[in-house]
Amino acid sequence: MSFSTWLYENYNIRPETKRWVDGKECYQAERYIYFITSVENNEIIHMEQSVLAYYLKESSYSNMAIPIRNQQGEWLTSHQNTKYMVIQGSDHPYSPSISSGTILAQFHQVGSAYTYEPKTISSYGQWKQLWIEKVTALEESLEKAAQENPNAYYRLIMDTLPYLIGVSENAIQYIRESEEELRFHETDQGTIAFRRYSDQLYQSVMWPLELVYDHPARDIAEFLRQQFLQDDPKHGTIQFLQDYQTVRPLSIFTWRLVYARLLFPIHLFDCLERNLTEQQIDAYDQLHHLLQLQAKYEKHVSQFFDWANIDCKHLQIPVLHWL
């Protein structure tokens, strides 16, 4: 049985055509598009993300895709021993004429008004522990994989691992000290955020399975991370931070969280984790390219507070001088 027939039998949806949106296969039916995604052992995560997606959809985010129930009123539908969720998106262009900083600050403003902190998808206040676990787990799995696969890719990883662990430990120590920072205000409360923010707010379809609950510093840092991997991010960084703060001023605590997250090499960990699970053909090239960008990235992180017009000495914000 095809998924077209399955959609009609279980959701009373008659697909007119199959297409791809943002790299994901979907089915067009009248003015909506429908994505079918498998759900494996993480039903609670999907349910929490679904609640956030509905909240955002009702809060005027028309590009937010939402899971829908089947004809039996259930969120998940089985097909060939696998459970699936159907996600509905609107099929129209979405191009808000608003700056990156402003649109993210407004999103965090709406997200912070959501009054129930999810349990499973919340990382609020947990970065230190999550980073320690990430470093430990990845070190073990990479060393094991390197022993089983003595090739150029894993030799590159083993050469890089001491640096990765060292940089990560610096970030973990910085976040540990930052947790004692008392200069915070109401914008430091938790908000709806993205697992890795990369301008999803401008996309025609926002994907609910990317939603998390966390400190707004998460999205700010991930936006800046992508900027800092480019050649000349100074002007864009200054503009982004100015625009964001016009809507939501940042506390000293937030500045420190953003800096800590920029120190932690999440982009390298993401690359390594992706290649461990998916075993991509160009794994070596991906990692080698990111490592070549690392010196430039670190230079930009070292200039972060200057670009933000923050006097670290006056405000007693510690910085890492090896950068």
Side-chain angles (χ1 to χ4, degrees):
M1 179 175 63
S2 69
F3 270 120
S4 296
T5 306
W6 180 84
L7 271 174
Y8 178 67
E9 289 183 356
N10 292 283
Y11 293 84
N12 198 28
I13 294 167
R14 289 184 183 273
E16 298 154 13
T17 169
K18 186 193 289 189
R19 50 185 285 209
W20 291 81
V21 174
D22 294 332
K24 299 180 181 70
E25 185 181 74
C26 63
Y27 294 86
Q28 175 100 36
E30 297 180 351
R31 61 195 183 95
Y32 294 110
I33 48 180
Y34 297 90
F35 303 86
I36 302 170
T37 184
S38 61
V39 177
E40 300 168 4
N41 303 323
N42 51 6
E43 292 179 27
I44 297 173
I45 291 174
H46 286 341
M47 289 300 101
E48 288 187 351
Q49 289 169 325
S50 300
V51 173
L52 297 186
Y54 270 87
Y55 169 78
L56 291 170
K57 187 80 170 181
E58 291 161 6
S59 300
S60 301
Y61 284 92
S62 59
N63 58 331
M64 186 74 242
I66 51 173
I68 58 172
R69 298 177 189 265
N70 61 24
Q71 293 192 90
Q72 285 72 47
E74 297 166 341
W75 293 106
L76 304 177
T77 308
S78 295
H79 178 58
Q80 296 181 350
N81 299 320
T82 302
K83 290 180 180 177
Y84 290 92
M85 177 182 279
V86 173
I87 297 172
Q88 179 192 71
S90 299
D91 183 33
H92 59 75
Y94 185 81
S95 53
S97 55
I98 185 171
S99 74
S100 298
T102 304
I103 199 171
L104 183 59
Q106 289 178 349
F107 177 79
H108 287 159
Q109 199 82 335
V110 170
S112 65
Y114 182 78
T115 50
Y116 308 101
E117 179 178 348
K119 295 291 182 283
T120 313
I121 61 171
S122 176
S123 301
Y124 188 83
Q126 299 176 43
W127 293 5
K128 179 183 69 180
Q129 190 56 39
L130 291 171
W131 291 355
I132 291 170
E133 291 170 4
K134 182 184 282 286
V135 173
T136 304
L138 203 60
E139 184 180 6
E140 290 173 359
S141 56
L142 287 173
E143 286 178 346
K144 182 172 182 286
Q147 288 175 349
E148 296 170 354
N149 304 279
N151 55 34
Y153 173 63
Y154 281 103
R155 283 196 296 274
L156 177 61
I157 287 177
M158 296 316 292
D159 288 344
T160 308
L161 208 51
Y163 161 78
L164 258 181
I165 293 168
V167 172
S168 300
E169 286 175 348
N170 281 162
I172 290 165
Q173 180 60 30
Y174 194 91
I175 199 81
R176 181 180 284 121
E177 294 171 5
S178 297
E179 286 175 350
E180 298 172 11
E181 175 64 65
L182 299 176
R183 291 170 289 178
F184 47 80
H185 46 65
E186 66 273 6
T187 55
D188 285 300
Q189 68 191 72
T191 188
I192 299 171
F194 295 88
R195 181 177 175 273
R196 297 285 183 268
Y197 182 60
S198 56
D199 278 338
Q200 286 94 327
L201 292 167
Y202 289 102
Q203 292 176 357
S204 57
V205 176
M206 276 204 293
W207 193 239
L209 307 187
E210 292 178 353
L211 297 176
V212 297
Y213 189 88
D214 207 340
H215 192 286
R218 181 190 188 115
D219 288 341
I220 296 170
E222 293 312 317
F223 176 87
L224 293 174
R225 186 186 305 278
Q226 298 308 312
Q227 299 292 305
F228 288 3
L229 288 166
Q230 309 302 317
D231 282 331
D232 187 16
K234 180 178 179 179
H235 175 73
T237 297
I238 292 171
Q239 192 65 55
F240 168 79
L241 291 171
Q242 286 176 348
D243 291 346
Y244 187 98
Q245 290 186 93
T246 301
V247 181
R248 284 170 65 89
L250 302 184
S251 69
I252 302 297
F253 180 63
T254 298
W255 286 116
R256 292 186 63 166
L257 288 190
V258 171
Y259 184 66
R261 196 169 182 94
L262 289 171
L263 290 174
F264 193 76
I266 289 173
H267 51 294
L268 294 173
F269 280 110
D270 283 351
C271 178
L272 292 168
E273 287 173 351
R274 188 166 59 244
N275 289 322
L276 263 178
T277 54
E278 299 174 17
Q279 297 180 337
Q280 299 183 6
I281 298 171
D282 60 344
Y284 181 93
D285 293 335
Q286 284 182 34
L287 180 59
H288 187 257
H289 175 65
L290 280 178
L291 290 171
Q292 284 186 313
L293 295 177
Q294 195 61 13
K296 179 195 303 179
Y297 175 82
E298 287 182 356
K299 182 186 175 188
H300 294 151
V301 173
S302 74
Q303 296 170 300
F304 166 62
F305 283 121
D306 289 337
W307 292 346
N309 198 26
I310 296 292
D311 186 337
C312 292
K313 193 170 183 180
H314 175 70
L315 293 171
Q316 297 182 303
I317 298 175
V319 293
L320 269 63
H321 293 291
W322 60 263
L323 281 172

